[in-house]
Amino acid sequence: MIRRNLLKGLAAFSLMGVAATGWGQKAAKGAVKVEELQKNWKMLLADGADVATTAEPLKLENTEWRKRLKPEAYDVLRREGTERAGTSPLDREKRPGVFVCAGCNLPLFTSAMKFDSGTGWPSFFTTIPGVFGTTTDRKLFMERTEYHCARCGGHHGHIFDDGPEPTGLRYCNNGVALRFIPKTGKA
Ligand SMILES: [Zn+2]
């Protein structure tokens, strides 16, 4: 009896081992995929699209930003406002393409990095590399990670750790802070 139990135990143990290896492989595959999405993001950029080609800082006076941006975009990008959930058509945008900063045209995300979080805000599990800076935001009586455009400093949203695999991250982005450029067809 003891031996049988031991064998059972061993069988269960090796099954767990197989399962753990399976997960490991899946996670590793996922990690590679994110790197590929980041490396190959230009494959989703429309030919001749008007985008910023470097993250070289763009610094403007507030009066100039007011002139350039729609009031809703100004409120989010320059004053760290938050749009009302469910108000951005980009939340439901599913076509292939690239999302750029509404302030400075820097490409930030691709459609392949987007997922439906059900929050009512466009959500992404990763970004084009090097396009955001972060700060710790202690407003609303909690600590959140704020992120902003590396080029114009415009506020975009907050990062949460309840996103999907493989990154587990959710970049919760205000739609008015983005402009979508479809790979083909009209914006
Ligand atoms: Zn920007």
Side-chain angles (χ1 to χ4, degrees), residues 79-178:
R79 301 185 55 83
E80 296 199 14
T82 300
E83 74 189 10
R84 222 152 41 83
T87 55
S88 171
L90 294 189
D91 183 34
R92 295 173 293 279
E93 180 59 67
K94 289 190 168 67
R95 289 172 294 170
V98 171
F99 295 84
V100 303
C101 179
C104 72
N105 289 328
L106 184 69
L108 305 174
F109 306 101
T110 69
S111 51
M113 299 169 178
K114 192 171 189 284
F115 72 100
D116 186 3
S117 65
T119 58
W121 286 288
S123 303
F124 305 86
F125 58 85
T126 190
T127 81
I128 292 170
V131 297
F132 288 120
T134 61
T135 61
T136 301
D137 178 351
R138 293 192 178 83
K139 289 197 285 279
L140 297 180
F141 309 103
M142 53 181 159
E143 205 170 274
R144 296 179 299 170
T145 303
E146 177 275 349
Y147 66 94
H148 51 270
C149 174
R151 181 163 189 244
C152 71
H155 168 73
H156 276 264
H158 292 87
I159 310 171
F160 300 92
D161 60 7
D162 57 7
E165 289 296 317
T167 62
L169 298 175
R170 171 168 61 96
Y171 285 78
C172 183
N173 213 104
N174 289 277
V176 289
L178 298 171

Side-chain angles (χ1 to χ4, degrees), residues 12-90:
F13 186 75
S14 65
L15 274 176
M16 275 166 59
V18 168
T21 313
W23 287 330
Q25 279 169 352
K26 204 171 158 196
K29 260 189 212 162
V32 171
K33 204 173 152 216
V34 167
E35 273 174 33
E36 280 175 14
L37 291 181
Q38 292 184 323
K39 199 169 67 186
N40 301 325
W41 71 266
K42 281 185 183 159
M43 283 167 63
L44 285 159
L45 187 64
D47 293 338
D50 175 26
V51 298
T53 48
T54 69
E56 203 173 305
L58 174 70
K59 285 206 161 84
L60 299 173
E61 295 294 330
N62 258 340
T63 49
E64 187 57 31
W65 282 122
R66 269 196 192 281
K67 267 190 244 165
R68 284 191 178 208
L69 300 170
K70 287 183 194 150
E72 314 86 79
Y74 178 86
D75 184 54
V76 169
L77 285 164
R78 309 314 311 178
R79 301 185 55 83
E80 296 199 14
T82 300
E83 74 189 10
R84 222 152 41 83
T87 55
S88 171
L90 294 189

